Amino acid sequence: MDALILQAFNGISLGSILLLVSLGLAFAFGLMNVINMAHGEFIMVGAYVAYVFQLLLAPAMGGVEAGLWFLAAIPAAFLVAALLGGLMETTLVRHLYGRPLDTLLATWGVGLILQQAARSIFGAPNVNVVSPAWLNGGADIGAGFLLSYKRIFIIGLVLLVVAAMYLYLYRTSQGRRLRAVMQNREMASCLGVRSRWVDVTTFALGTGLAGVAGCALTLIGPIGPSLGTFYIVDAFMVVVLGGVGSLPGTILAATAIGVTNTVLELGTTATVGKVLVLLAIIIFLQWKPSGLAALQTR
Amino acid sequence: MDKRKLARFISQWGSFTVLMLVLLAAPLFLSDFRLIQLGKFLTFAIIALGLDLIWGYGGMLSLGQGLFFGLGAYGFAMYLKLQASGGKLPDFMFWSGLKELPWFWVPFQSPVFALAAALLVPGILAGILGYFVFRSRVKGVYFSIITQALTLLTSIWFVGQQAYTGGTNGITNLGSAQIFGHSLQSPPVQRGFYLATVVALAGVYLLCRWLTGARFGRLLVALRDNEERVRFLGYDPVRLKVVVFVLSAMIAALAGILFVPQVGIISPSSMGVVPSIEMVVWVAVGGRGTLLGAVVGALLVSYGRSYFSESYPDIWQIFLGALFIGSVLLFPQGIVGNLAAFSRRVKGLLSRRPSPAGGEAGSEPLIQVTATHAEGRS
């Protein structure tokens, strides 16, 4: 029983990372019909930002153990990934609106280039980011099972980000414009919303979130140039399952996939667990083709 | 009159005939090494034809072609491996601690069964997946993502099943297999497989050409441009889509069957996500919706790849990425598509008539934003 609780807990933390990653994908897809295959590489960018901060800034910020640099790396990863994403939107993606399959190809190309760039700069082997000392260990839930502080921290971080996203989407004028463009682009433009600007900022916001996810991933394991590829397919499954452009749907789908994945791993192997999840999604789509919570007005 | 007939024949069949003649004559002037390389690239051209059918004409981007290719290749490789180990347990099974041949390997001792399974298993898999996916009206990028997920999972799974699939290394050491009393690696056998590949390429090309010229092909294009309209006309899009998906999967499997004896190895790294997407580049570079473009694209990109990756292994990735971006941004119709558009314009100028608008599938904008597309899945 405790093993199950532990696995579910791990599933929730995996799901929370998936959620960060897939929010950006869902925005880009729901808003602009853009499928961003380079999204995984923005996770990698975020992870390497943490690595660079550890190398360059940790000595000046009280050492690696103190972890101040890590707290600084999170917003930095967001900014760097968001800037890169904004650059990509203005130079490449904007030419491909209305051709979703082409965006898939072109952004995959961007992903390849980013991966090779990381390989040239940081080398092909994986590198380790040392977690701050105060995240080591875990909370004892009895019977020798520990809920690691790192994973609790990740879940907390994601909760924070989701709350911020909620406030942004539903309580700011910028968020209202975003939702307006998502629901009806022409009407929003007619009413004076600068939909181009909304496109750029939303895309950048999405890639920025992927950067934060990358930063969080450095707590769990080593990072390498192909880090993003491990998460991108899962993230797309979240988007498919969750339904396009719906925050609650995405949250539900990310948690469901994360938890099912890790719980199914208990009785079987990791890959069999993933296969079962994919099968479950395909079967689910028979019953509800537009995902858990599709936006009704589009 | 005769002259006109000849001109028509040349414009319709000229490039295909020349290509076939060159390919058939290739063993006369290529070294054994280059011939094997060409044979390998021709199997890629076969995959590209199948992908062009479903993507270029049908508008469904399958990212699972690498998977079907791999399943076909593994099927035939199992037969070759059993041949090569001469009745004994294949080496990798021995290393993994297996005592006897797994039950599902046993029938692969028969070449007929192996070939049939290599073709049918991918076809059946595509049929089942296609039926469920298309029935729930999953389309566009959703279809791409699901096929990609399946590809990813299967390649990871094959890596995990070390004892049954050879794990990361795949099925290797096929060289000592005997075919018609000759070693697999002997030049006559290799030449035989090369010629078989050329014949298969020609056959698949003719099949695709016939299909796309017939009502089936027009329905496919109609499906790409507006699925609802096809549905309202009384056709069943699900059945059409499943048929073309199965067909393209079996074409990829055929390519896999021809790939294995020439290259002598099949491993998960040739059937995963990255190869599947590279297959898409071949078609995109050559020209979607032009069958010859798929062949040309596969050959050109593969040669470019082997040249670049031998000389500059680092730059290749960046080059490939740039190729993706460039072909989508600058040449959305691909090499052959753009050439065809160009020659139509020249012809139009020469005859002082406006060029016929959209006479062929290749001249149309390939992915159209139709009402259904913009609305997402309804």
Side-chain angles (χ1 to χ4, degrees):
Chain A
M1 192 56 211
D2 283 338
L4 198 65
I5 293 176
L6 193 69
Q7 209 67 5
F9 172 72
N10 287 345
I12 290 174
S13 89
L14 172 70
S16 62
I17 288 178
L18 278 182
L19 175 60
L20 274 192
V21 178
S22 36
L23 272 180
L25 277 179
F27 281 147
F29 192 63
L31 187 67
M32 310 170 240
N33 238 344
V34 166
I35 205 87
N36 183 11
M37 293 297 275
H39 201 71
E41 276 57 51
F42 289 97
I43 306 178
M44 173 203 78
V45 167
Y48 274 111
V49 167
Y51 178 65
V52 168
F53 265 55
Q54 181 198 350
L55 286 186
L56 299 181
L57 289 182
M61 295 178 81
V64 174
E65 300 287 303
L68 270 181
W69 59 273
F70 186 76
L71 292 180
I74 296 175
F78 177 82
L79 283 180
V80 173
L83 279 178
L84 276 176
L87 187 71
M88 180 172 144
E89 203 278 344
T90 44
T91 53
L92 176 67
V93 172
R94 64 178 299 185
H95 299 292
L96 300 172
Y97 287 145
R99 292 153 61 188
L101 291 179
D102 284 350
T103 61
L104 190 154
L105 293 183
T107 52
W108 176 266
V110 174
L112 280 181
I113 293 175
L114 284 176
Q115 270 190 34
Q116 185 58 48
R119 217 168 277 138
S120 307
I121 299 172
F122 299 102
N126 286 346
V127 293
N128 271 305
V129 176
V130 183
S131 322
W134 40 270
L135 281 179
N136 292 332
D140 201 339
I141 54 163
F145 286 108
L146 286 179
L147 299 184
S148 91
Y149 288 137
K150 288 178 189 171
R151 290 186 184 270
I152 293 179
F153 177 79
I154 290 174
I155 295 174
L157 177 70
V158 174
L159 285 179
L160 203 68
V161 172
V162 170
M165 285 301 304
Y166 177 82
L167 290 179
Y168 174 79
L169 279 175
Y170 294 97
R171 293 286 181 272
T172 66
S173 55
Q174 176 72 20
R176 193 157 50 239
R177 284 188 209 110
L178 191 160
R179 283 184 293 133
V181 173
M182 245 178 167
Q183 289 192 2
N184 192 331
R185 173 176 293 269
E186 285 75 23
M187 187 66 83
S189 307
C190 289
L191 292 173
V193 175
R194 285 187 298 163
S195 55
R196 272 297 305 144
W197 176 243
V198 171
D199 287 345
V200 179
T201 46
T202 313
F203 198 85
L205 183 69
T207 56
L209 291 182
V212 174
C215 219
L217 278 176
T218 60
L219 294 176
I220 295 184
I223 58 174
S226 51
L227 177 72
T229 49
F230 293 112
Y231 292 90
I232 189 73
V233 173
D234 277 346
F236 273 123
M237 298 320 294
V238 169
V239 176
V240 171
L241 184 63
V244 175
S246 132
L247 189 61
T250 312
I251 294 174
L252 211 60
T255 322
I257 288 185
V259 172
T260 341
N261 230 330
T262 39
V263 169
L264 282 179
E265 271 173 31
L266 260 189
T268 56
T269 62
T271 39
V272 176
K274 277 192 188 312
V275 171
L276 291 177
V277 169
L278 177 69
L279 283 182
I281 290 173
I282 293 177
I283 292 168
F284 180 80
L285 287 178
Q286 304 300 307
W287 171 54
K288 249 192 148 164
S290 43
L292 280 170
L295 210 57
Q296 294 301 321
T297 43
R298 290 180 75 248
Chain B
M1 189 64 191
D2 259 351
K3 225 177 180 178
R4 197 183 270 177
K5 258 187 186 166
L6 188 69
R8 238 181 86 188
F9 179 80
I10 288 179
S11 78
Q12 284 188 344
W13 292 98
S15 13
F16 172 69
T17 318
V18 171
L19 185 69
M20 277 305 135
L21 288 179
V22 171
L23 290 179
L24 284 176
L28 302 176
F29 54 83
L30 280 186
S31 70
D32 284 347
F33 172 72
R34 288 288 164 202
L35 193 68
I36 290 176
Q37 198 184 28
L38 180 61
K40 180 170 105 179
F41 294 164
L42 289 181
T43 63
F44 293 163
I46 295 177
I47 306 176
L49 278 173
L51 185 58
D52 198 17
L53 202 60
I54 185 168
W55 183 38
Y57 288 91
M60 291 164 273
L61 176 54
S62 159
L63 294 177
Q65 299 307 100
L67 165 65
F68 302 130
F69 165 80
L71 289 180
Y74 266 98
F76 195 47
M78 283 161 84
Y79 165 70
L80 291 176
K81 186 70 196 174
L82 291 174
Q83 286 282 302
S85 50
K88 280 191 293 243
L89 204 60
D91 46 14
F92 64 86
M93 289 186 186
F94 183 72
W95 299 328
S96 311
L98 284 196
K99 292 283 180 286
E100 54 186 310
L101 207 57
W103 59 268
F104 61 90
W105 268 72
V106 173
F108 281 87
Q109 282 162 338
S110 140
V112 179
F113 179 87
L115 284 177
L119 269 179
L120 290 180
V121 169
I124 292 170
L125 181 65
I128 296 173
L129 180 72
Y131 176 73
F132 283 109
V133 165
F134 295 134
R135 203 184 64 136
S136 56
R137 305 208 182 167
V138 169
K139 52 191 158 193
V141 270
Y142 292 88
F143 172 67
S144 309
I145 291 165
I146 287 180
T147 50
Q148 184 184 38
L150 189 71
T151 309
L152 179 79
L153 292 174
T154 317
S155 60
I156 297 176
W157 189 50
F158 269 52
V159 171
Q161 303 296 314
Q162 174 85 29
Y164 305 110
T165 61
T168 324
N169 297 329
I171 300 185
T172 55
N173 294 331
L174 302 175
S176 51
Q178 298 279 319
I179 286 194
F180 307 126
H182 292 277
S183 152
L184 183 67
Q185 279 171 337
S186 71
V189 171
Q190 282 300 321
R191 234 164 282 157
F193 275 113
Y194 171 79
L195 289 178
T197 310
V198 175
V199 171
L201 177 66
V204 170
Y205 177 84
L206 292 175
L207 173 74
C208 291
R209 190 152 168 174
W210 174 66
L211 281 176
T212 52
R215 177 202 292 254
F216 180 79
R218 285 185 211 159
L219 277 173
L220 213 54
V221 173
L223 212 55
R224 178 188 75 193
D225 293 342
N226 193 337
E227 180 173 335
E228 293 307 311
R229 209 179 300 165
V230 177
R231 201 189 307 277
F232 291 149
L233 283 174
Y235 292 99
D236 179 7
V238 177
R239 198 185 301 170
L240 265 169
K241 286 176 154 187
V242 170
V243 167
V244 69
F245 190 35
V246 168
L247 206 59
S248 76
M250 288 176 74
I251 290 174
L254 174 69
I257 292 173
L258 292 160
F259 173 89
V260 152
Q262 302 188 74
V263 180
I265 175 175
I266 178 70
S267 70
S269 65
S270 357
M271 61 185 280
V273 170
V274 178
S276 302
I277 291 201
E278 267 180 50
M279 293 166 187
V280 173
V281 189
W282 301 334
V283 181
V285 168
R288 289 170 244 182
T290 62
L291 293 174
L292 213 56
V295 176
V296 171
L299 294 182
L300 271 185
V301 177
S302 305
Y303 266 108
R305 188 211 169 106
S306 81
Y307 174 76
F308 264 97
S309 57
E310 277 161 27
S311 338
Y312 319 94
D314 286 350
I315 298 184
W316 164 247
Q317 288 274 333
I318 292 184
F319 182 74
L320 184 69
L323 200 63
F324 266 93
I325 300 169
S327 65
V328 165
L329 273 187
L330 306 175
F331 309 104
Q333 307 182 2
I335 297 172
V336 171
N338 274 352
L339 274 182
F342 179 72
S343 80
R344 267 197 300 278
R345 264 173 67 184
V346 171
K347 262 188 210 154
L349 281 180
L350 286 181
S351 61
R352 291 173 180 253
R353 258 180 285 150
S355 61
E360 271 175 52
S363 61
E364 302 265 323
L366 284 155
I367 307 291
Q368 288 196 334
V369 209
T370 53
T372 42
H373 241 125
E375 283 160 13
R377 296 172 313 151
S378 43

